[in-house]
């Protein structure tokens, strides 16, 4: 006969394993769609990143800017559409910024980062907004991992209590 603590431990471990697979799958799909570039931005040379985006995939795009080595920065991020028109612009003062924009037509979109301060290393990311089902898959996986670890903790406590009482 299987003890309750062993059954709880087995179920908790299975939840952690399945959660890890789901979370990894969701994160892989999301990160596989992102174009990333590292660059140095100073007052004369902007950093740019281009990516082919299509509104049939999703109508929203996202960009991420991460400034390395600085606590406060003075950058401006601008997204240009396939015809060179300005789609979105944002002043960036924090080291990590994420913003969204509408994808109205298929083509190459360009993210440009300008700096009015000292030379700053940046990491740029440009992508379609991930599908809600992929994000939900990733969140489900993370929830299963947490639930599984809680189950393992409950199994350990239950095993200790039953061991002391016998």
């Amino acid at each position: 006969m299987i003890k309750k603590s062993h059954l709880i431990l087995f179920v908790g471990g299975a939840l952690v394993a399945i959660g890890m697979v789901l979370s990894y799958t969701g994160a892989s799909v999301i990160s596989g769609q992102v174009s990333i570039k590292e660059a140095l931005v100073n007052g004369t040379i902007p950093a740019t990143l281009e990516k082919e985006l299509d509104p049939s995939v999703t109508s929203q795009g996202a960009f991420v800017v991460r400034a390395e080595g600085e606590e406060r920065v003075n950058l401006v991020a601008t997204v240009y559409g396939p015809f060179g028109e300005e789609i979105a612009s944002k002043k960036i003062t924090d080291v990590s910024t994420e913003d969204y924009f509408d994808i109205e037509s298929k083509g190459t979109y360009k993210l440009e980062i300008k700096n009015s301060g000292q030379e700053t290393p940046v990491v740029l990311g440009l992508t379609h907004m991930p599908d809600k089902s992929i994000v939900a898959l990733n969140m489900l996986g993370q929830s299963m991992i947490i639930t599984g670890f809680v189950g393992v903790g409950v199994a350990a406590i239950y095993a200790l209590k039953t061991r002391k009482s016998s």
Side-chain angles (χ1 to χ4, degrees):
M1 183 173 172
I2 298 177
K3 290 183 180 180
K4 286 184 183 179
S5 63
H6 290 104
L7 182 62
I8 296 170
L9 186 62
F10 176 75
V11 171
L15 282 173
V16 169
I18 293 168
M20 291 175 87
V21 170
L22 290 176
S23 185
Y24 175 78
T25 302
S28 294
V29 170
I30 291 169
S31 65
Q33 298 174 356
V34 179
S35 290
I36 298 173
K37 179 179 181 181
E38 294 182 34
L40 279 174
V41 182
N42 59 36
T44 58
I45 303 171
T48 60
L49 174 62
E50 294 183 352
K51 180 167 179 67
E52 184 82 19
L53 299 176
D54 187 352
S56 67
V57 174
T58 182
S59 63
Q60 262 205 326
F63 69 85
V64 177
V65 179
R66 169 93 180 138
E68 302 292 327
E70 299 290 327
E71 288 184 28
R72 301 299 266 166
V73 294
N74 193 16
L75 306 172
V76 176
T78 307
V79 178
Y80 296 99
F83 307 109
E85 75 281 14
E86 184 177 308
I87 303 280
S89 185
K90 182 167 185 168
K91 184 175 169 111
I92 299 172
T93 56
D94 295 327
V95 294
S96 186
T97 300
E98 179 179 333
D99 204 7
Y100 309 98
F101 59 92
D102 292 328
I103 302 171
E104 295 180 4
S105 60
K106 182 178 180 178
T108 302
Y109 285 71
K110 180 169 86 170
L111 172 61
E112 182 179 83
I113 307 299
K114 292 182 181 174
N115 185 359
S116 60
Q118 64 185 7
E119 186 173 77
T120 306
V122 293
V123 178
L124 314 174
L126 185 61
T127 188
H128 288 99
M129 261 309 279
D131 185 55
K132 289 182 176 149
S133 61
I134 301 298
V135 173
L137 179 71
N138 191 21
M139 295 301 287
L140 174 65
Q142 292 175 12
S143 299
M144 289 178 79
I145 292 169
I146 292 168
T147 304
F149 278 128
V150 168
V152 168
V154 167
I157 292 168
Y158 184 79
L160 285 173
K161 285 191 175 205
T162 57
R163 189 174 182 183
K164 283 183 180 180
S165 64
S166 60

